[in-house]
PDB file of all heavy atoms in Angstrom:
ATOM      1  N   GLU A  58      -9.711   3.067   2.020  1.00  0.00           N
ATOM      2  CA  GLU A  58      -9.835   2.416   3.332  1.00  0.00           C
ATOM      3  C   GLU A  58      -8.511   2.469   4.090  1.00  0.00           C
ATOM      4  O   GLU A  58      -8.482   2.618   5.311  1.00  0.00           O
ATOM      5  CB  GLU A  58     -10.310   0.975   3.183  1.00  0.00           C
ATOM      6  CG  GLU A  58     -10.765   0.342   4.473  1.00  0.00           C
ATOM      7  CD  GLU A  58     -11.977   1.035   5.083  1.00  0.00           C
ATOM      8  OE1 GLU A  58     -12.939   1.350   4.366  1.00  0.00           O
ATOM      9  OE2 GLU A  58     -11.948   1.280   6.314  1.00  0.00           O
ATOM     10  N   TRP A  59      -7.410   2.338   3.362  1.00  0.00           N
ATOM     11  CA  TRP A  59      -6.073   2.452   3.951  1.00  0.00           C
ATOM     12  C   TRP A  59      -5.925   3.818   4.639  1.00  0.00           C
ATOM     13  O   TRP A  59      -5.445   3.931   5.760  1.00  0.00           O
ATOM     14  CB  TRP A  59      -5.040   2.262   2.845  1.00  0.00           C
ATOM     15  CG  TRP A  59      -3.606   2.298   3.244  1.00  0.00           C
ATOM     16  CD1 TRP A  59      -2.726   3.297   2.973  1.00  0.00           C
ATOM     17  CD2 TRP A  59      -2.864   1.287   3.937  1.00  0.00           C
ATOM     18  NE1 TRP A  59      -1.483   2.974   3.461  1.00  0.00           N
ATOM     19  CE2 TRP A  59      -1.541   1.748   4.053  1.00  0.00           C
ATOM     20  CE3 TRP A  59      -3.195   0.050   4.470  1.00  0.00           C
ATOM     21  CZ2 TRP A  59      -0.543   1.018   4.683  1.00  0.00           C
ATOM     22  CZ3 TRP A  59      -2.198  -0.684   5.090  1.00  0.00           C
ATOM     23  CH2 TRP A  59      -0.901  -0.206   5.198  1.00  0.00           C
ATOM     24  N   VAL A  60      -6.376   4.869   3.952  1.00  0.00           N
ATOM     25  CA  VAL A  60      -6.326   6.219   4.517  1.00  0.00           C
ATOM     26  C   VAL A  60      -7.255   6.312   5.722  1.00  0.00           C
ATOM     27  O   VAL A  60      -6.869   6.830   6.780  1.00  0.00           O
ATOM     28  CB  VAL A  60      -6.689   7.281   3.452  1.00  0.00           C
ATOM     29  CG1 VAL A  60      -6.802   8.669   4.073  1.00  0.00           C
ATOM     30  CG2 VAL A  60      -5.668   7.274   2.317  1.00  0.00           C
ATOM     31  N   ARG A  61      -8.488   5.811   5.598  1.00  0.00           N
ATOM     32  CA  ARG A  61      -9.457   5.887   6.696  1.00  0.00           C
ATOM     33  C   ARG A  61      -8.906   5.243   7.973  1.00  0.00           C
ATOM     34  O   ARG A  61      -8.985   5.813   9.050  1.00  0.00           O
ATOM     35  CB  ARG A  61     -10.770   5.199   6.315  1.00  0.00           C
ATOM     36  CG  ARG A  61     -11.817   5.264   7.428  1.00  0.00           C
ATOM     37  CD  ARG A  61     -13.002   4.312   7.270  1.00  0.00           C
ATOM     38  NE  ARG A  61     -13.298   3.897   5.932  1.00  0.00           N
ATOM     39  CZ  ARG A  61     -14.201   4.478   5.133  1.00  0.00           C
ATOM     40  NH1 ARG A  61     -14.895   5.504   5.552  1.00  0.00           N
ATOM     41  NH2 ARG A  61     -14.415   4.000   3.923  1.00  0.00           N
ATOM     42  N   GLN A  62      -8.348   4.047   7.831  1.00  0.00           N
ATOM     43  CA  GLN A  62      -7.861   3.344   9.019  1.00  0.00           C
ATOM     44  C   GLN A  62      -6.687   4.075   9.663  1.00  0.00           C
ATOM     45  O   GLN A  62      -6.618   4.193  10.884  1.00  0.00           O
ATOM     46  CB  GLN A  62      -7.502   1.900   8.677  1.00  0.00           C
ATOM     47  CG  GLN A  62      -8.689   1.051   8.257  1.00  0.00           C
ATOM     48  CD  GLN A  62      -9.839   1.125   9.252  1.00  0.00           C
ATOM     49  OE1 GLN A  62      -9.632   1.037  10.452  1.00  0.00           O
ATOM     50  NE2 GLN A  62     -11.053   1.301   8.744  1.00  0.00           N
ATOM     51  N   HIS A  63      -5.782   4.566   8.855  1.00  0.00           N
ATOM     52  CA  HIS A  63      -4.659   5.326   9.408  1.00  0.00           C
ATOM     53  C   HIS A  63      -5.136   6.619  10.073  1.00  0.00           C
ATOM     54  O   HIS A  63      -4.666   6.983  11.147  1.00  0.00           O
ATOM     55  CB  HIS A  63      -3.629   5.644   8.317  1.00  0.00           C
ATOM     56  CG  HIS A  63      -2.691   4.526   8.060  1.00  0.00           C
ATOM     57  ND1 HIS A  63      -3.021   3.429   7.294  1.00  0.00           N
ATOM     58  CD2 HIS A  63      -1.421   4.314   8.485  1.00  0.00           C
ATOM     59  CE1 HIS A  63      -1.997   2.600   7.252  1.00  0.00           C
ATOM     60  NE2 HIS A  63      -1.010   3.111   7.964  1.00  0.00           N
ATOM     61  N   PHE A  64      -6.088   7.303   9.439  1.00  0.00           N
ATOM     62  CA  PHE A  64      -6.542   8.578   9.977  1.00  0.00           C
ATOM     63  C   PHE A  64      -7.317   8.389  11.282  1.00  0.00           C
ATOM     64  O   PHE A  64      -7.117   9.140  12.237  1.00  0.00           O
ATOM     65  CB  PHE A  64      -7.392   9.340   8.951  1.00  0.00           C
ATOM     66  CG  PHE A  64      -7.403  10.819   9.209  1.00  0.00           C
ATOM     67  CD1 PHE A  64      -6.472  11.643   8.596  1.00  0.00           C
ATOM     68  CD2 PHE A  64      -8.330  11.390  10.058  1.00  0.00           C
ATOM     69  CE1 PHE A  64      -6.460  13.008   8.848  1.00  0.00           C
ATOM     70  CE2 PHE A  64      -8.328  12.753  10.315  1.00  0.00           C
ATOM     71  CZ  PHE A  64      -7.388  13.564   9.707  1.00  0.00           C
ATOM     72  N   THR A  65      -8.191   7.391  11.335  1.00  0.00           N
ATOM     73  CA  THR A  65      -8.946   7.193  12.578  1.00  0.00           C
ATOM     74  C   THR A  65      -8.016   6.778  13.722  1.00  0.00           C
ATOM     75  O   THR A  65      -8.199   7.225  14.852  1.00  0.00           O
ATOM     76  CB  THR A  65     -10.092   6.171  12.411  1.00  0.00           C
ATOM     77  OG1 THR A  65      -9.580   4.939  11.919  1.00  0.00           O
ATOM     78  CG2 THR A  65     -11.181   6.698  11.493  1.00  0.00           C
ATOM     79  N   HIS A  66      -7.007   5.980  13.429  1.00  0.00           N
ATOM     80  CA  HIS A  66      -6.040   5.620  14.474  1.00  0.00           C
ATOM     81  C   HIS A  66      -5.225   6.838  14.900  1.00  0.00           C
ATOM     82  O   HIS A  66      -4.928   7.007  16.085  1.00  0.00           O
ATOM     83  CB  HIS A  66      -5.139   4.469  14.020  1.00  0.00           C
ATOM     84  CG  HIS A  66      -5.822   3.154  14.139  1.00  0.00           C
ATOM     85  ND1 HIS A  66      -5.756   2.381  15.271  1.00  0.00           N
ATOM     86  CD2 HIS A  66      -6.626   2.486  13.281  1.00  0.00           C
ATOM     87  CE1 HIS A  66      -6.477   1.289  15.103  1.00  0.00           C
ATOM     88  NE2 HIS A  66      -7.020   1.331  13.897  1.00  0.00           N
ATOM     89  N   TYR A  67      -4.894   7.696  13.965  1.00  0.00           N
ATOM     90  CA  TYR A  67      -4.212   8.957  14.276  1.00  0.00           C
ATOM     91  C   TYR A  67      -5.065   9.793  15.230  1.00  0.00           C
ATOM     92  O   TYR A  67      -4.570  10.314  16.230  1.00  0.00           O
ATOM     93  CB  TYR A  67      -3.935   9.706  12.967  1.00  0.00           C
ATOM     94  CG  TYR A  67      -3.615  11.162  13.099  1.00  0.00           C
ATOM     95  CD1 TYR A  67      -2.410  11.593  13.658  1.00  0.00           C
ATOM     96  CD2 TYR A  67      -4.511  12.125  12.634  1.00  0.00           C
ATOM     97  CE1 TYR A  67      -2.117  12.949  13.751  1.00  0.00           C
ATOM     98  CE2 TYR A  67      -4.220  13.472  12.716  1.00  0.00           C
ATOM     99  CZ  TYR A  67      -3.032  13.882  13.284  1.00  0.00           C
ATOM    100  OH  TYR A  67      -2.743  15.222  13.381  1.00  0.00           O
ATOM    101  N   LEU A  68      -6.352   9.913  14.931  1.00  0.00           N
ATOM    102  CA  LEU A  68      -7.237  10.689  15.799  1.00  0.00           C
ATOM    103  C   LEU A  68      -7.301  10.098  17.204  1.00  0.00           C
ATOM    104  O   LEU A  68      -7.231  10.832  18.201  1.00  0.00           O
ATOM    105  CB  LEU A  68      -8.652  10.751  15.205  1.00  0.00           C
ATOM    106  CG  LEU A  68      -8.824  11.567  13.934  1.00  0.00           C
ATOM    107  CD1 LEU A  68     -10.256  11.449  13.428  1.00  0.00           C
ATOM    108  CD2 LEU A  68      -8.447  13.029  14.156  1.00  0.00           C
ATOM    109  N   MET A  69      -7.413   8.790  17.292  1.00  0.00           N
ATOM    110  CA  MET A  69      -7.542   8.148  18.603  1.00  0.00           C
ATOM    111  C   MET A  69      -6.219   8.152  19.367  1.00  0.00           C
ATOM    112  O   MET A  69      -6.188   8.499  20.552  1.00  0.00           O
ATOM    113  CB  MET A  69      -8.065   6.718  18.443  1.00  0.00           C
ATOM    114  CG  MET A  69      -9.501   6.646  17.923  1.00  0.00           C
ATOM    115  SD  MET A  69     -10.168   4.966  17.782  1.00  0.00           S
ATOM    116  CE  MET A  69      -9.181   4.262  16.457  1.00  0.00           C
ATOM    117  N   GLU A  70      -5.143   7.771  18.703  1.00  0.00           N
ATOM    118  CA  GLU A  70      -3.879   7.543  19.392  1.00  0.00           C
ATOM    119  C   GLU A  70      -3.029   8.796  19.545  1.00  0.00           C
ATOM    120  O   GLU A  70      -2.294   8.926  20.526  1.00  0.00           O
ATOM    121  CB  GLU A  70      -3.093   6.446  18.669  1.00  0.00           C
ATOM    122  CG  GLU A  70      -3.818   5.115  18.727  1.00  0.00           C
ATOM    123  CD  GLU A  70      -3.305   4.091  17.733  1.00  0.00           C
ATOM    124  OE1 GLU A  70      -2.219   4.302  17.139  1.00  0.00           O
ATOM    125  OE2 GLU A  70      -4.013   3.082  17.534  1.00  0.00           O
ATOM    126  N   GLN A  71      -3.119   9.730  18.619  1.00  0.00           N
ATOM    127  CA  GLN A  71      -2.285  10.935  18.683  1.00  0.00           C
ATOM    128  C   GLN A  71      -3.060  12.163  19.153  1.00  0.00           C
ATOM    129  O   GLN A  71      -2.478  13.045  19.770  1.00  0.00           O
ATOM    130  CB  GLN A  71      -1.692  11.241  17.293  1.00  0.00           C
ATOM    131  CG  GLN A  71      -0.951  10.104  16.659  1.00  0.00           C
ATOM    132  CD  GLN A  71       0.334   9.783  17.376  1.00  0.00           C
ATOM    133  OE1 GLN A  71       1.072  10.676  17.744  1.00  0.00           O
ATOM    134  NE2 GLN A  71       0.601   8.503  17.584  1.00  0.00           N
ATOM    135  N   LYS A  72      -4.350  12.204  18.843  1.00  0.00           N
ATOM    136  CA  LYS A  72      -5.139  13.404  19.129  1.00  0.00           C
ATOM    137  C   LYS A  72      -6.147  13.217  20.268  1.00  0.00           C
ATOM    138  O   LYS A  72      -6.869  14.148  20.591  1.00  0.00           O
ATOM    139  CB  LYS A  72      -5.866  13.872  17.859  1.00  0.00           C
ATOM    140  CG  LYS A  72      -4.931  14.310  16.746  1.00  0.00           C
ATOM    141  CD  LYS A  72      -4.210  15.582  17.143  1.00  0.00           C
ATOM    142  CE  LYS A  72      -3.368  16.160  16.052  1.00  0.00           C
ATOM    143  NZ  LYS A  72      -2.802  17.471  16.464  1.00  0.00           N
ATOM    144  N   GLY A  73      -6.217  12.023  20.832  1.00  0.00           N
ATOM    145  CA  GLY A  73      -7.064  11.789  21.998  1.00  0.00           C
ATOM    146  C   GLY A  73      -8.555  11.704  21.740  1.00  0.00           C
ATOM    147  O   GLY A  73      -9.360  11.896  22.653  1.00  0.00           O
ATOM    148  N   TYR A  74      -8.959  11.386  20.511  1.00  0.00           N
ATOM    149  CA  TYR A  74     -10.385  11.271  20.210  1.00  0.00           C
ATOM    150  C   TYR A  74     -10.896   9.938  20.755  1.00  0.00           C
ATOM    151  O   TYR A  74     -10.326   8.884  20.467  1.00  0.00           O
ATOM    152  CB  TYR A  74     -10.614  11.321  18.697  1.00  0.00           C
ATOM    153  CG  TYR A  74     -10.452  12.704  18.097  1.00  0.00           C
ATOM    154  CD1 TYR A  74      -9.262  13.419  18.228  1.00  0.00           C
ATOM    155  CD2 TYR A  74     -11.490  13.299  17.393  1.00  0.00           C
ATOM    156  CE1 TYR A  74      -9.114  14.683  17.681  1.00  0.00           C
ATOM    157  CE2 TYR A  74     -11.342  14.561  16.834  1.00  0.00           C
ATOM    158  CZ  TYR A  74     -10.155  15.250  16.987  1.00  0.00           C
ATOM    159  OH  TYR A  74     -10.007  16.501  16.450  1.00  0.00           O
TER     160      TYR A  74
END
Side-chain angles (χ1 to χ4, degrees):
E58 193 63 45
W59 182 252
V60 173
R61 180 195 335 265
Q62 295 308 315
H63 277 79
F64 204 92
T65 56
H66 281 270
Y67 163 70
L68 291 176
M69 293 182 292
E70 296 164 13
Q71 306 291 317
K72 296 292 186 174
Y74 286 58

